[in-house]
Amino acid sequence: CVMLSAGTANSSANIVGNTVYNTNHCFSIGASGQGTVFAGGSIHDNDCHDVANWDDAANANHHDGIHVYSVNASQISNILIYNNYFHGSWIGPNGSHVTAAIYVESNSSPTSTQNVQIFNNLVAANSGEKYWLLWMAGDRFSVFNNTLVSPAGGGCMYFSSGTNISFKNNLCSSPGSTATWFQTVSTV
């Protein structure tokens, strides 16, 4: 796992050109200290695959290809996620313990994670595996030109909360399932 977690102010963190596999999270950028501001960063041109070996019966691990987060009244903004490839086995013998290939959360407030752009990513789930390919919460998201394929269903994109979301030119194939779900989103 390549993880950058800021407990104090940080900026310009970049995760570029890596191949990561057999890990619970491939790449992670987060703001975790009280009042921390993490402003600017990118995760691009990476290959993430085969995280199923981290499944456990207690569901203590939630697999993510990329995890961007803000907790403890911190803020993360201006993050670019692009040209990444997610594939391989994500579900092990204990069932589906995957959050999403790309998981962006906002725990402190709806605006604690903002100005995130997600584009030109390829997520190709294995046949028979069901999980959300993209899961997001925050403010001012741009999601465009992504290809998300889930042959067994499971859902392509889930926006759990947020405002000012721009969603354009994405290809989503998830037969018999929800392609895009906006739970408590105020502006799309």
Side-chain angles (χ1 to χ4, degrees), residues 21-181:
Y21 58 95
N22 292 337
T23 184
N24 191 37
H25 291 62
C26 289
F27 312 103
S28 181
I29 292 181
S32 58
Q34 182 77 26
T36 296
V37 175
F38 191 120
S42 65
I43 303 174
H44 64 89
D45 296 292
N46 297 291
D47 183 338
C48 171
H49 61 93
D50 297 303
V51 300
N53 63 311
W54 279 82
D55 264 1
D56 65 336
N59 194 15
N61 301 307
H62 63 98
H63 318 318
D64 305 313
I66 293 175
H67 186 192
V68 176
Y69 62 92
S70 60
V71 295
N72 300 322
S74 62
Q75 184 179 52
I76 191 163
S77 63
N78 303 318
I79 302 297
L80 303 173
I81 300 171
Y82 62 95
N83 294 345
N84 298 291
Y85 178 36
F86 306 91
H87 59 104
S89 179
W90 286 58
I91 298 176
N94 294 304
S96 178
H97 299 154
V98 179
T99 304
I102 301 173
Y103 177 37
V104 182
E105 67 177 319
S106 186
N107 283 340
S108 301
S109 74
T111 59
S112 65
T113 301
Q114 57 185 332
N115 297 326
V116 176
Q117 293 185 40
I118 301 171
F119 58 97
N120 296 340
N121 296 287
L122 172 59
V123 182
N126 274 358
S127 178
E129 294 190 346
K130 294 182 179 183
Y131 55 90
W132 285 102
L133 305 178
L134 215 61
W135 182 316
M136 292 158 281
D139 184 41
R140 293 184 294 241
F141 276 70
S142 296
V143 181
F144 56 95
N145 298 336
N146 296 287
T147 300
L148 311 164
V149 180
S150 180
C156 282
M157 292 179 236
Y158 173 55
F159 296 88
S160 62
S161 63
T163 58
N164 304 307
I165 296 170
S166 177
F167 178 74
K168 298 178 187 177
N169 201 35
N170 296 285
L171 173 63
C172 176
S173 175
S174 181
S177 185
T178 303
T180 305
W181 181 15

